[in-house]
Amino acid sequence: MSSVKRMAETGSSPPNKAPRTSNPSPNISNSPPPPSLSYASIVKDNTDISIDDIKADLDNLSSTHSSLYNIIKQDSKHDKPLLNAIYAVLTLSISINGKLVKKFESLDSTISNYNQRITHNSDSSAKIQESHELAQIHKDLEKADRTIKISNFPLLKQDTPNQIQFVKDSLTKSDPDIPHLIRDSQIKLLNQPIQSQHQDGPNTPIVLITMPSKSAKIEIHNKLSKANKDLSLPYHFPQKIHKGIKKMRAHLNTCSIQYKNTTHNLKDKQILLRPSKSYNTFNINYRANSNEKWTLAGPTNIPTNDFDPCTFNWGPIKLV
């Protein structure tokens, strides 16, 4: 314990100085200078300073300030001018630290409010983005519901000139009414033709025929399926939900669902997922085999490609 602190606690006078010895005084000129306390060095060492740190420093300064005040009040042989100067410095430091505490508290409150606003704005932006994406999916679903997908349409060769016209001509040969039906349609090759195993053999692209209405799509779909039973005409799902549909179908094939107090066992059943009329939800249908009619199990939300059955909002149905 230092003599100054001990005097502050006991109220005693400082002891008489011991008589000087014959030991020579140290050569101060050869001693290294004390480390400087520049603003840069202080800031560098206190980059993680918090309001609790300043409060702790303020408590220490206040304690030292009180001890020094007691020493000054004593009738001792201490250097009063020096102590008074130190006392004045401590008083100023306490005042500065007290102001810093108030500033930090105000700053913490401002930062907290700012972070709340950022969180609120981020949540709002995420909801807007989700709303825009959902609106686009609804639009894509409506278009897909008017689209016929032919997954095994043959082309003569990959370098067949005007492949779209070749598709139209081929469809026309299958039924005389088709030219009139596809007059206002949009025909598109979903991907580049896939070369067959034989170099001179046909290529098989995926053909999309988008009709102006769903009724027109149903009409030409029925004609194509009757005219050529070898054509594969699967339902066309938009790219943003295609993988999600596959994941959902695979998961539903392993469980049962409950909807309006009715439980439907979907294990090892054929699963049919189709958008509702509003395109806001998907209807889950199932059957044991192709000889049975489809049974509606219930509606659920639209599964996007990042579908996860554990975190997905299943809507009004419940997995059991």
Side-chain angles (χ1 to χ4, degrees), residues 45-318:
D45 295 335
N46 294 279
T47 54
D48 296 329
I49 192 171
S50 67
I51 188 172
D52 293 332
D53 296 329
I54 296 180
K55 287 182 177 180
D57 290 342
L58 185 58
D59 290 340
N60 292 333
L61 283 173
S62 298
S63 177
T64 305
H65 186 266
S66 299
S67 299
L68 184 59
Y69 178 75
N70 292 331
I71 294 175
I72 294 175
K73 285 191 352 179
Q74 296 172 6
D75 185 13
S76 63
K77 295 181 180 180
H78 286 88
D79 190 346
K80 289 291 185 71
L82 176 59
L83 292 179
N84 286 333
I86 297 175
Y87 182 80
V89 171
L90 287 176
T91 301
L92 179 61
S93 298
I94 290 173
S95 175
I96 294 175
N97 273 40
K99 294 177 181 178
L100 282 176
V101 169
K102 293 181 179 179
K103 287 290 185 181
F104 261 80
E105 289 175 342
S106 176
L107 183 60
D108 281 351
S109 177
T110 301
I111 292 175
S112 177
N113 292 334
Y114 184 68
N115 287 337
Q116 290 179 1
R117 291 181 182 178
I118 290 178
T119 302
H120 174 74
N121 291 338
S122 298
D123 292 342
S124 299
S125 298
K127 290 180 180 179
I128 292 173
Q129 180 67 20
E130 182 180 356
S131 177
H132 287 171
E133 291 179 357
L134 194 59
Q136 183 61 48
I137 290 177
H138 291 169
K139 184 178 179 180
D140 293 342
L141 280 173
E142 189 278 329
K143 182 178 180 181
D145 217 22
R146 297 185 283 110
T147 300
I148 299 172
K149 181 178 181 179
I150 307 176
S151 60
N152 63 341
F153 196 98
L155 293 182
L156 293 179
K157 292 183 179 180
Q158 188 166 350
D159 59 351
T160 300
N162 199 342
Q163 295 177 345
I164 299 298
Q165 185 60 46
F166 177 80
V167 170
K168 291 181 179 181
D169 294 341
S170 298
L171 293 175
T172 300
K173 294 177 182 178
S174 62
D175 190 292
D177 293 334
I178 287 183
H180 172 72
L181 294 175
I182 65 173
R183 180 181 56 188
D184 297 326
S185 67
Q186 295 178 352
I187 299 178
K188 175 184 177 182
L189 300 184
L190 188 62
N191 58 358
Q192 292 296 325
I194 302 173
Q195 183 69 40
S196 68
Q197 295 180 354
H198 304 287
Q199 186 174 359
D200 296 330
N203 298 304
T204 305
I206 295 178
V207 177
L208 298 181
I209 307 174
T210 302
M211 305 300 295
S213 65
K214 185 175 180 179
S215 59
K217 174 230 177 152
I218 294 175
E219 184 177 1
I220 192 173
H221 184 280
N222 292 336
K223 286 185 175 295
L224 288 175
S225 59
K226 290 180 180 179
N228 191 342
K229 296 185 181 298
D230 294 330
L231 283 181
S232 177
L233 303 171
Y235 191 87
H236 174 61
F237 291 103
Q239 185 177 3
K240 291 183 179 179
I241 66 171
H242 186 265
K243 294 181 180 179
I245 291 293
K246 287 186 176 181
K247 295 177 186 177
M248 174 178 281
R249 185 187 294 118
H251 184 75
L252 290 174
N253 202 235
T254 63
C255 62
S256 298
I257 65 172
Q258 186 175 356
Y259 177 63
K260 291 184 177 181
N261 298 324
T262 302
T263 301
H264 303 269
N265 182 11
L266 274 59
K267 293 181 180 179
D268 300 324
K269 300 291 196 303
Q270 294 179 2
I271 307 295
L272 179 71
L273 299 176
R274 291 293 184 268
S276 62
K277 292 182 179 179
S278 64
Y279 303 106
N280 291 323
T281 58
F282 261 77
N283 290 325
I284 303 173
N285 304 274
Y286 71 98
R287 65 184 181 184
N289 53 64
S290 58
N291 295 323
E292 294 185 1
K293 292 184 178 181
W294 293 103
T295 299
L296 176 63
T300 189
N301 290 320
I302 300 173
T304 52
N305 288 339
D306 58 353
F307 171 80
D308 183 346
C310 298
T311 59
F312 182 71
N313 180 9
W314 290 91
I317 69 171
K318 180 180 179 182

